[in-house]
Amino acid sequence: MEEKKKQQLQDNEAQKQAFLEDFNNGLHRIGRCMLIVSIILLVGVPFVIGAINGVTPSLKGFLVGFAKVGIIYIPVAIVEFLVYTPMLGVGGSYLAFITGNVTNMKIPCAMNARDIAKTKVGTPENEIISTISVATSAIVTTLVIVAGVILMIPLRPVLENPVLVPAFDNVVPALFGALGLKYFMKSPKIAAIPVLSMTLLCVLVPAAISQTSLLMIPAGGMALLIGWVLFKKGKLQK
Protein backbone atom coordinates (compact mmCIF):
# COMPACT_ATOMS: atom_id res chain seq x y z
CA MET A 1 0.00 0.00 0.00
CA GLU A 2 2.81 2.39 0.90
CA GLU A 3 4.66 1.52 -2.32
CA LYS A 4 1.52 2.30 -4.30
CA LYS A 5 1.18 5.70 -2.61
CA LYS A 6 4.87 6.39 -3.17
CA GLN A 7 4.54 5.50 -6.84
CA GLN A 8 1.46 7.71 -7.14
CA LEU A 9 3.34 10.64 -5.60
CA GLN A 10 6.21 10.12 -8.01
CA ASP A 11 3.80 10.02 -10.96
CA ASN A 12 2.12 13.22 -9.77
CA GLU A 13 5.48 14.93 -9.42
CA ALA A 14 6.49 13.79 -12.91
CA GLN A 15 3.23 15.12 -14.33
CA LYS A 16 3.80 18.46 -12.60
CA GLN A 17 7.32 18.74 -13.99
CA ALA A 18 6.10 17.83 -17.47
CA PHE A 19 3.36 20.45 -17.20
CA LEU A 20 5.87 23.04 -15.96
CA GLU A 21 8.19 22.34 -18.88
CA ASP A 22 5.39 22.65 -21.45
CA PHE A 23 4.03 25.73 -19.68
CA ASN A 24 7.44 27.45 -19.65
CA ASN A 25 8.14 26.56 -23.29
CA GLY A 26 4.90 28.25 -24.29
CA LEU A 27 5.75 31.29 -22.18
CA HIS A 28 9.19 31.51 -23.77
CA ARG A 29 7.72 31.50 -27.29
CA ILE A 30 5.16 34.21 -26.51
CA GLY A 31 7.55 36.21 -24.33
CA ARG A 32 10.33 36.34 -26.91
CA CYS A 33 7.91 37.48 -29.62
CA MET A 34 6.51 40.21 -27.36
CA LEU A 35 10.00 41.34 -26.33
CA ILE A 36 11.07 41.66 -29.97
CA VAL A 37 7.93 43.66 -30.78
CA SER A 38 8.44 45.87 -27.72
CA ILE A 39 12.06 46.59 -28.60
CA ILE A 40 11.13 47.45 -32.19
CA LEU A 41 8.40 49.82 -30.99
CA LEU A 42 10.57 51.44 -28.31
CA VAL A 43 13.48 52.02 -30.68
CA GLY A 44 11.53 52.50 -33.91
CA VAL A 45 8.84 54.99 -32.87
CA PRO A 46 11.25 57.84 -32.01
CA PHE A 47 13.08 57.38 -35.30
CA VAL A 48 9.81 57.30 -37.27
CA ILE A 49 8.56 60.48 -35.54
CA GLY A 50 11.94 62.14 -36.14
CA ALA A 51 11.90 61.15 -39.82
CA ILE A 52 8.37 62.52 -40.29
CA ASN A 53 9.30 65.84 -38.66
CA GLY A 54 12.75 65.99 -40.23
CA VAL A 55 14.63 66.02 -36.93
CA THR A 56 16.19 62.55 -36.93
CA PRO A 57 19.57 62.62 -35.11
CA SER A 58 22.70 61.46 -36.83
CA LEU A 59 23.86 57.90 -36.28
CA LYS A 60 27.01 59.20 -34.58
CA GLY A 61 24.99 61.35 -32.20
CA PHE A 62 22.69 58.44 -31.41
CA LEU A 63 25.60 56.09 -30.65
CA VAL A 64 27.33 58.69 -28.46
CA GLY A 65 24.14 59.33 -26.50
CA PHE A 66 23.42 55.62 -26.21
CA ALA A 67 26.95 54.93 -24.93
CA LYS A 68 26.64 57.59 -22.21
CA VAL A 69 23.37 56.11 -20.96
CA GLY A 70 24.23 52.47 -21.64
CA ILE A 71 27.39 52.53 -19.56
CA ILE A 72 25.15 52.97 -16.51
CA TYR A 73 22.03 51.02 -17.40
CA ILE A 74 23.56 47.96 -19.08
CA PRO A 75 25.23 46.72 -15.84
CA VAL A 76 22.05 47.61 -13.93
CA ALA A 77 19.94 45.63 -16.41
CA ILE A 78 22.22 42.59 -16.09
CA VAL A 79 22.11 42.71 -12.28
CA GLU A 80 18.33 43.13 -12.20
CA PHE A 81 17.89 40.21 -14.60
CA LEU A 82 20.05 37.91 -12.50
CA VAL A 83 18.41 38.97 -9.21
CA TYR A 84 14.76 39.34 -10.21
CA THR A 85 14.24 36.44 -12.63
CA PRO A 86 14.40 33.72 -9.92
CA MET A 87 11.82 35.68 -7.91
CA LEU A 88 9.41 36.26 -10.80
CA GLY A 89 9.65 33.00 -12.72
CA VAL A 90 9.40 32.72 -16.50
CA GLY A 91 6.01 34.29 -17.19
CA GLY A 92 6.37 36.92 -14.49
CA SER A 93 9.80 37.95 -15.80
CA TYR A 94 8.59 38.52 -19.36
CA LEU A 95 5.58 40.50 -18.17
CA ALA A 96 7.57 42.53 -15.65
CA PHE A 97 10.42 43.48 -17.97
CA ILE A 98 8.01 44.47 -20.75
CA THR A 99 5.57 46.49 -18.62
CA GLY A 100 8.17 48.04 -16.27
CA ASN A 101 7.88 49.11 -12.62
CA VAL A 102 9.76 45.93 -11.71
CA THR A 103 11.28 47.06 -8.43
CA ASN A 104 8.45 49.10 -6.96
CA MET A 105 5.45 47.12 -8.26
CA LYS A 106 6.06 43.69 -9.76
CA ILE A 107 8.55 42.26 -7.25
CA PRO A 108 6.50 43.17 -4.13
CA CYS A 109 3.31 41.87 -5.77
CA ALA A 110 4.89 38.55 -6.79
CA MET A 111 6.55 38.02 -3.40
CA ASN A 112 3.37 38.82 -1.51
CA ALA A 113 1.29 36.53 -3.72
CA ARG A 114 3.80 33.71 -3.20
CA ASP A 115 3.63 34.13 0.56
CA ILE A 116 -0.18 34.16 0.54
CA ALA A 117 -0.41 31.08 -1.70
CA LYS A 118 2.50 29.41 0.18
CA THR A 119 4.18 28.27 -3.04
CA LYS A 120 7.87 27.48 -3.48
CA VAL A 121 10.22 28.83 -6.14
CA GLY A 122 10.67 26.49 -9.09
CA THR A 123 7.33 24.71 -8.72
CA PRO A 124 4.48 24.80 -11.28
CA GLU A 125 2.24 26.43 -8.68
CA ASN A 126 4.72 29.26 -8.13
CA GLU A 127 5.09 29.87 -11.87
CA ILE A 128 1.34 30.24 -12.25
CA ILE A 129 0.92 32.39 -9.13
CA SER A 130 3.82 34.64 -10.15
CA THR A 131 2.48 35.10 -13.68
CA ILE A 132 -1.04 35.89 -12.47
CA SER A 133 0.20 38.31 -9.79
CA VAL A 134 2.46 40.25 -12.18
CA ALA A 135 -0.29 40.38 -14.82
CA THR A 136 -2.75 41.64 -12.21
CA SER A 137 -0.23 44.27 -11.09
CA ALA A 138 0.23 45.45 -14.68
CA ILE A 139 -3.54 45.71 -15.25
CA VAL A 140 -4.13 47.55 -11.97
CA THR A 141 -1.22 49.90 -12.68
CA THR A 142 -2.64 50.72 -16.11
CA LEU A 143 -6.10 51.40 -14.67
CA VAL A 144 -4.62 53.62 -11.94
CA ILE A 145 -2.60 55.56 -14.52
CA VAL A 146 -5.74 56.07 -16.64
CA ALA A 147 -7.63 57.30 -13.58
CA GLY A 148 -4.69 59.50 -12.61
CA VAL A 149 -4.55 61.13 -16.05
CA ILE A 150 -8.27 61.83 -15.91
CA LEU A 151 -8.09 63.21 -12.34
CA MET A 152 -4.70 64.89 -12.69
CA ILE A 153 -6.03 68.46 -12.68
CA PRO A 154 -8.51 68.01 -9.78
CA LEU A 155 -5.87 66.18 -7.68
CA ARG A 156 -2.99 68.52 -8.51
CA PRO A 157 -3.32 70.65 -5.33
CA VAL A 158 -3.21 67.49 -3.20
CA LEU A 159 -0.27 65.89 -5.04
CA GLU A 160 1.78 69.11 -4.88
CA ASN A 161 0.99 69.80 -1.23
CA PRO A 162 4.35 70.48 0.51
CA VAL A 163 3.19 68.46 3.52
CA LEU A 164 2.67 65.30 1.43
CA VAL A 165 5.67 65.56 -0.91
CA PRO A 166 8.13 63.89 1.55
CA ALA A 167 5.69 61.00 1.97
CA PHE A 168 5.49 60.42 -1.79
CA ASP A 169 9.29 60.50 -2.03
CA ASN A 170 9.60 57.68 0.52
CA VAL A 171 6.87 55.31 -0.68
CA VAL A 172 9.26 52.85 -2.37
CA PRO A 173 11.81 52.70 0.52
CA ALA A 174 8.96 52.22 3.00
CA LEU A 175 7.45 49.46 0.85
CA PHE A 176 10.69 47.54 0.52
CA GLY A 177 11.60 48.13 4.15
CA ALA A 178 8.39 46.45 5.24
CA LEU A 179 8.84 43.57 2.79
CA GLY A 180 12.54 43.18 3.44
CA LEU A 181 12.23 43.02 7.22
CA LYS A 182 10.15 39.86 6.99
CA TYR A 183 12.81 38.09 4.93
CA PHE A 184 15.69 39.48 6.97
CA MET A 185 14.13 38.06 10.13
CA LYS A 186 14.04 34.59 8.54
CA SER A 187 17.85 34.57 8.18
CA PRO A 188 19.28 37.26 10.48
CA LYS A 189 22.75 35.69 10.46
CA ILE A 190 22.95 36.10 6.68
CA ALA A 191 21.21 39.47 6.43
CA ALA A 192 22.85 41.37 9.30
CA ILE A 193 26.26 42.14 7.77
CA PRO A 194 25.04 43.07 4.23
CA VAL A 195 22.23 45.27 5.60
CA LEU A 196 24.42 47.06 8.14
CA SER A 197 27.31 47.55 5.72
CA MET A 198 25.08 48.93 2.92
CA THR A 199 23.27 51.18 5.41
CA LEU A 200 26.58 52.52 6.70
CA LEU A 201 27.82 53.07 3.14
CA CYS A 202 24.69 55.07 2.22
CA VAL A 203 25.02 57.16 5.40
CA LEU A 204 28.69 57.94 4.77
CA VAL A 205 28.28 58.32 0.99
CA PRO A 206 24.77 59.73 0.29
CA ALA A 207 25.39 59.57 -3.47
CA ALA A 208 25.35 55.76 -3.22
CA ILE A 209 21.61 55.84 -2.42
CA SER A 210 20.81 56.45 -6.09
CA GLN A 211 22.92 53.42 -7.12
CA THR A 212 20.95 50.73 -5.28
CA SER A 213 20.92 48.41 -8.30
CA LEU A 214 24.73 48.35 -8.36
CA LEU A 215 24.90 47.95 -4.58
CA MET A 216 23.00 44.67 -4.93
CA ILE A 217 26.16 43.10 -6.38
CA PRO A 218 28.37 43.44 -3.27
CA ALA A 219 25.42 42.98 -0.89
CA GLY A 220 24.32 39.81 -2.68
CA GLY A 221 27.91 38.57 -2.81
CA MET A 222 28.31 39.04 0.93
CA ALA A 223 25.02 37.25 1.60
CA LEU A 224 26.04 34.30 -0.58
CA LEU A 225 29.47 34.08 1.05
CA ILE A 226 28.03 34.23 4.57
CA GLY A 227 25.40 31.63 3.70
CA TRP A 228 28.06 29.32 2.24
CA VAL A 229 30.29 29.68 5.32
CA LEU A 230 27.38 29.00 7.69
CA PHE A 231 26.32 26.02 5.61
CA LYS A 232 29.84 24.56 5.71
CA LYS A 233 29.95 25.01 9.49
CA GLY A 234 26.61 23.23 9.82
CA LYS A 235 24.89 26.31 11.23
CA LEU A 236 22.52 26.64 8.30
CA GLN A 237 19.85 24.14 7.38
CA LYS A 238 19.63 22.83 3.85
Side-chain angles (χ1 to χ4, degrees):
M1 192 67 178
E2 292 184 359
E3 292 182 358
K4 186 177 180 180
K5 288 183 179 180
K6 185 177 180 181
Q7 183 62 39
Q8 187 175 3
L9 290 174
Q10 291 177 349
D11 293 341
N12 291 338
E13 188 64 27
Q15 290 177 358
K16 283 185 178 182
Q17 292 302 321
F19 169 79
L20 179 60
E21 185 176 352
D22 292 339
F23 182 73
N24 286 342
N25 288 336
L27 290 176
H28 281 303
R29 287 192 295 269
I30 298 173
R32 288 166 183 167
C33 292
M34 292 299 100
L35 279 175
I36 292 172
V37 172
S38 300
I39 292 172
I40 292 173
L41 291 175
L42 288 171
V43 177
V45 169
F47 281 98
V48 171
I49 294 174
I52 293 174
N53 292 280
V55 291
T56 302
S58 65
L59 181 60
K60 180 180 179 180
F62 168 76
L63 293 176
V64 171
F66 178 81
K68 291 180 179 180
V69 177
I71 196 172
I72 298 174
Y73 283 101
I74 288 176
V76 171
I78 294 173
V79 172
E80 289 186 350
F81 171 78
L82 294 175
V83 173
Y84 293 155
T85 299
M87 300 181 185
L88 294 170
V90 177
S93 296
Y94 281 116
L95 284 171
F97 290 126
I98 289 175
T99 58
N101 289 325
V102 181
T103 302
N104 58 344
M105 291 286 183
K106 304 305 188 300
I107 291 292
C109 185
M111 293 173 66
N112 194 41
R114 185 180 66 192
D115 289 343
I116 293 172
K118 301 186 184 303
T119 57
K120 295 182 179 180
V121 176
T123 62
E125 294 84 359
N126 186 71
E127 288 287 341
I128 295 172
I129 289 295
S130 177
T131 304
I132 293 174
S133 63
V134 174
T136 302
S137 175
I139 294 171
V140 172
T141 301
T142 303
L143 294 176
V144 171
I145 291 174
V146 171
V149 171
I150 296 173
L151 300 174
M152 183 179 295
I153 295 177
L155 292 177
R156 186 172 181 179
V158 177
L159 298 176
E160 295 182 353
N161 190 316
V163 177
L164 298 178
V165 168
F168 290 130
D169 292 339
N170 289 280
V171 169
V172 174
L175 177 64
F176 269 84
L179 287 171
L181 178 62
K182 178 174 64 176
Y183 288 93
F184 296 156
M185 293 302 292
K186 290 182 179 180
S187 302
K189 293 181 180 179
I190 296 177
I193 294 177
V195 171
L196 292 176
S197 59
M198 292 299 107
T199 301
L200 182 61
L201 175 63
C202 290
V203 170
L204 297 177
V205 187
I209 297 175
S210 61
Q211 304 296 327
T212 51
S213 295
L214 294 178
L215 293 180
M216 286 192 295
I217 298 176
M222 283 190 288
L224 290 172
L225 179 60
I226 294 169
W228 181 79
V229 172
L230 292 176
F231 179 80
K232 287 295 185 180
K233 290 183 177 181
K235 297 181 180 181
L236 190 66
Q237 294 180 352
K238 295 184 178 180

